[in-house]
Amino acid sequence: MNELDVAGLQRRLADFAAARDWQQYHTPKNLVAALSVEASELVEIFQWLTPEESARVMDDADTAHRVTDEVADVLAYLLQLCEVLGIDALAALDAKIDRNERRFPPPGETGAGETGAEREGRNRPQ
């Protein structure tokens, strides 16, 4: 695989799991739990850093390697979850961005036809 793409990576992950007979464990519940654990491991790296330190986290080679590995783990479990549930991750993200653009217009623009409750919640990002 020369060019990286979501479908190709999902195939590689599925092939990796199949070669080890791990598909039986790749239920939505287990994948979500593993995703949560890996996201927590990523959080752990940043847990006690100041905002300034967190902005420079990739400057240290060892820490950068740990962050990169944890990001890869989170993405791997997320892509596997999407595969098992039949979710097109890129289409889901695109649709979510569309909804957020409508829901949270830039300052000075108003949402067409929004209610007071919608305006009130507009400034709370998802």
Side-chain angles (χ1 to χ4, degrees):
M1 176 168 70
N2 293 334
E3 189 174 322
L4 295 177
D5 64 274
V6 172
L9 292 171
Q10 285 175 309
R11 270 192 307 280
R12 286 185 65 195
L13 288 165
D15 291 346
F16 182 87
R20 290 150 184 83
D21 196 29
W22 290 351
Q23 319 93 304
Q24 61 186 318
Y25 306 112
H26 288 189
T27 65
K29 179 193 83 63
N30 288 350
L31 291 169
V32 168
L35 175 59
S36 176
V37 168
E38 295 301 340
S40 294
E41 289 178 8
L42 182 59
V43 169
E44 183 180 28
I45 297 167
F46 291 86
Q47 184 173 8
W48 302 114
L49 300 180
T50 66
E52 296 76 20
E53 289 169 334
S54 71
R56 295 188 310 270
V57 75
M58 299 304 282
D59 293 348
D60 176 73
D62 290 336
T63 306
H65 178 74
R66 288 178 53 219
V67 168
T68 301
D69 271 358
E70 296 307 335
V71 166
D73 288 341
V74 168
L75 183 57
Y77 281 116
L78 182 60
L79 290 178
Q80 289 175 91
L81 178 66
C82 288
E83 178 72 16
V84 166
L85 295 177
I87 296 171
D88 179 329
L90 296 182
L93 177 57
D94 187 52
K96 181 66 174 185
I97 292 169
D98 286 345
R99 286 191 305 279
N100 282 344
E101 286 173 339
R102 287 190 304 275
R103 191 165 171 217
F104 305 106
E109 292 182 23
T110 58
E114 66 183 1
T115 68
E118 290 169 331
R119 274 191 299 280
E120 211 171 272
R122 179 176 23 169
N123 294 322
R124 287 185 240 146
Q126 295 283 318

Coordinates of all heavy atoms in Angstrom, one line a residue, residues 57 59-67:
V57 N 5.1 19.6 23.7 CA 5.2 18.2 24.0 C 6.0 17.4 22.9 O 6.7 16.5 23.1 CB 3.9 17.5 24.3 CG1 3.1 17.3 23.0 CG2 4.1 16.2 25.1
D59 N 8.5 18.5 21.2 CA 9.9 18.9 21.1 C 10.8 17.8 21.7 O 12.0 17.8 21.4 CB 10.1 20.2 21.9 CG 9.4 21.4 21.2 OD1 8.9 21.2 20.0 OD2 9.3 22.5 21.8
D60 N 10.3 17.0 22.7 CA 11.1 16.0 23.3 C 10.9 14.7 22.5 O 9.8 14.2 22.4 CB 10.7 15.8 24.7 CG 11.5 14.7 25.4 OD1 12.7 14.8 25.7 OD2 10.8 13.6 25.6
A61 N 12.0 14.1 22.0 CA 11.8 12.9 21.1 C 11.1 11.8 21.8 O 10.3 11.1 21.2 CB 13.2 12.5 20.6
D62 N 11.5 11.5 23.1 CA 10.8 10.4 23.8 C 9.3 10.6 24.0 O 8.5 9.7 23.8 CB 11.5 10.1 25.1 CG 12.9 9.5 25.0 OD1 13.2 8.9 23.9 OD2 13.7 9.7 25.9
T63 N 9.0 11.8 24.4 CA 7.6 12.1 24.6 C 6.8 12.2 23.3 O 5.7 11.7 23.2 CB 7.5 13.5 25.4 OG1 8.2 13.4 26.6 CG2 6.0 13.8 25.7
A64 N 7.5 12.7 22.3 CA 6.8 12.8 21.0 C 6.5 11.3 20.5 O 5.4 11.1 19.9 CB 7.7 13.5 20.0
H65 N 7.4 10.4 20.7 CA 7.2 9.0 20.3 C 6.0 8.4 21.1 O 5.2 7.7 20.5 CB 8.5 8.2 20.6 CG 8.3 6.8 20.2 ND1 8.3 6.3 18.9 CD2 8.2 5.7 21.0 CE1 8.1 5.0 18.9 NE2 8.1 4.6 20.2
R66 N 6.0 8.7 22.4 CA 4.8 8.2 23.2 C 3.5 8.8 22.7 O 2.5 8.0 22.6 CB 5.1 8.5 24.7 CG 6.1 7.7 25.3 CD 6.4 8.1 26.8 NE 5.2 8.1 27.6 CZ 4.9 9.0 28.5 NH1 5.7 9.9 28.8 NH2 3.7 8.9 29.2
V67 N 3.5 10.1 22.5 CA 2.2 10.7 22.0 C 1.8 10.1 20.7 O 0.7 9.8 20.5 CB 2.4 12.2 21.9 CG1 1.3 12.9 21.1 CG2 2.6 12.9 23.3

